[in-house]
Amino acid sequence: MNLSSKSLEKLRELINEETEYRSGPKLVQFFNDLGFQDSYGHGFPSRWMYTDQRLEEINGSSELDKCIRAVFNPANFIGKLAELDAHITSFNQFLTFDKWKVVRNGADIDFRRLEKVEIDEPAPDAKAETEDEFLRREFTSVSVSKLGLEGTVSGVLDQRIREIEKCFFGKAYLAVILMAGSTLEGTLLGVANNHPRSFNLAKAAPKDGSGKVKQFHEWTLSAFIDVAHEIRIVQHDTQKFSHTLREFRNYIHPFQQMSSGFSPTEHTAKLCLQVLKATIYELGEYLGKIRT
């Protein structure tokens, strides 16, 4: 199987954080299981660069098939097969342009060669907001300090929001995107720390190999977003556009931005800022209700 650069990029995201967060040592072990003999130590490249290099080396070989099967191994998704199927569906959206499809048959992961590109159009959701509708929503008195987070983190996050707005009006759009992503993650982490039971009991809560829920500092932004939606803290459309922000935030790596040709626009920055405001507003609404 020989995959395009877009499919390999998506596969790297699945390996590095979407199916589980893999640290540098875990990535080395993952690829060593495919026949490499790497070691983790001083001078190790960034996680995404290392994964990109290894995927390029095995692209078109049987090791790539083994790699994909390892990523989607059902044994790692006991009790959360729906999550596994969602990852496979997401990957297949890229893979179809290479005329391949991943198919899960029970505990087996197989591949099907396609005669043509197959695109499954999602059924229209009458309640779903369009991007323009989402951007037209107005939020007043958006403040992290109203969320009751521990310590002085609220002040730090509120200061970041003010700085993000200055960057937006100053047309520093990449800065808006990167800071909005980190501020969103910090806010959701703070709320999770205040409400650990709700977050830990969610079906979307990420688990380690033994099935135990990971510590919050090990969660990815993707996990925080999905759990916040599952426990009804944020609305469906906020969840959807939050994942858009999460994907843009990956361009914090200059080489990734260069390789993809990504150039942030005012519209992209406005969407990311709106996601942050919507999330904080909806968090405030939710926490206000449970306090009364």
Side-chain angles (χ1 to χ4, degrees), residues 144 153-168 175-176 178-187 249 273 276 280:
V144 177
V153 68
S154 293
V156 172
L157 293 173
D158 273 332
Q159 174 59 36
R160 285 195 174 203
I161 294 172
R162 290 192 292 271
E163 191 165 331
I164 291 168
E165 290 176 332
K166 290 179 182 178
C167 288
F168 179 78
V176 170
L178 301 184
M179 289 186 65
S182 65
T183 304
L184 176 64
E185 186 168 6
T187 302
R249 193 188 66 158
L273 178 55
L276 181 60
I280 294 172

Side-chain angles (χ1 to χ4, degrees), residues 8 11-12 15-16 27-28 30-32 34-39 44-45 47-61 63-64 67:
L8 290 177
L11 181 56
R12 180 243 298 154
I15 293 170
N16 282 19
L27 283 175
V28 168
F30 178 86
F31 283 102
N32 282 353
L34 299 174
F36 290 96
Q37 296 181 340
D38 298 329
S39 59
F44 191 79
R47 293 165 54 250
W48 70 265
M49 182 179 292
Y50 171 75
T51 304
D52 278 349
Q53 290 171 346
R54 290 295 171 259
L55 290 178
E56 285 287 349
E57 290 186 50
I58 63 175
N59 193 21
S61 71
E63 268 59 47
L64 182 65
C67 173

Side-chain angles (χ1 to χ4, degrees), residues 38-283:
D38 298 329
S39 59
Y40 184 82
H42 180 70
F44 191 79
S46 67
R47 293 165 54 250
W48 70 265
M49 182 179 292
Y50 171 75
T51 304
D52 278 349
Q53 290 171 346
R54 290 295 171 259
L55 290 178
E56 285 287 349
E57 290 186 50
I58 63 175
N59 193 21
S61 71
S62 60
E63 268 59 47
L64 182 65
D65 296 7
K66 294 177 184 177
C67 173
I68 295 172
R69 286 192 170 97
V71 172
F72 296 133
N73 183 0
N76 296 329
F77 291 86
I78 296 173
K80 48 180 182 176
L81 289 176
E83 180 182 330
L84 170 59
D85 291 337
H87 285 308
I88 292 174
T89 298
S90 177
F91 186 48
N92 280 336
Q93 291 178 339
F94 293 82
L95 212 57
T96 187
F97 291 96
D98 300 311
K99 295 185 177 179
W100 283 101
K101 186 174 185 178
V102 175
V103 179
R104 182 176 72 84
N105 294 311
D108 297 322
I109 299 296
D110 299 318
F111 307 105
R112 180 162 68 87
R113 195 75 166 99
L114 304 179
E115 295 297 324
K116 60 180 181 179
V117 174
E118 297 180 358
I119 300 179
D120 296 324
E121 294 290 348
D125 184 351
K127 296 182 179 179
E129 286 183 317
T130 66
E131 191 172 292
D132 287 339
E133 289 171 335
F134 180 74
L135 287 171
R136 283 198 294 269
R137 290 173 63 186
E138 294 186 7
F139 305 100
T140 57
S141 303
V142 173
S143 173
V144 177
S145 60
K146 296 181 179 180
L147 303 183
L149 304 186
E150 295 179 357
T152 59
V153 68
S154 293
V156 172
L157 293 173
D158 273 332
Q159 174 59 36
R160 285 195 174 203
I161 294 172
R162 290 192 292 271
E163 191 165 331
I164 291 168
E165 290 176 332
K166 290 179 182 178
C167 288
F168 179 78
F169 291 114
K171 299 183 179 182
Y173 300 135
L174 182 60
V176 170
I177 294 168
L178 301 184
M179 289 186 65
S182 65
T183 304
L184 176 64
E185 186 168 6
T187 302
L188 290 172
L189 172 59
V191 173
N193 282 330
N194 280 5
H195 304 274
R197 180 177 172 79
S198 297
F199 277 74
N200 284 323
L201 291 179
K203 293 180 180 178
K207 299 175 178 63
D208 59 23
S210 65
K212 184 179 179 180
V213 175
K214 295 181 178 180
Q215 297 292 313
F216 289 142
H217 71 271
E218 298 178 295
W219 285 31
T220 62
L221 176 55
S222 178
F224 278 121
I225 292 169
D226 290 340
V227 168
H229 174 254
E230 180 185 329
I231 61 179
R232 302 180 184 277
I233 290 181
V234 299
Q235 299 176 16
H236 169 70
D237 294 299
T238 303
Q239 176 205 27
K240 177 177 66 176
F241 293 116
S242 291
H243 280 298
T244 301
L245 166 56
R246 176 185 60 77
E247 292 172 359
F248 285 141
R249 193 188 66 158
N250 289 335
Y251 294 110
I252 191 173
H253 304 292
F255 285 97
Q256 185 171 345
Q257 181 185 356
M258 178 186 68
S259 63
S260 66
F262 174 71
S263 180
T265 64
E266 178 181 355
H267 180 82
T268 302
K270 185 177 181 180
L271 178 62
C272 293
L273 178 55
Q274 185 76 339
V275 164
L276 181 60
K277 288 183 175 181
T279 303
I280 294 172
Y281 176 81
E282 290 169 11
L283 286 171

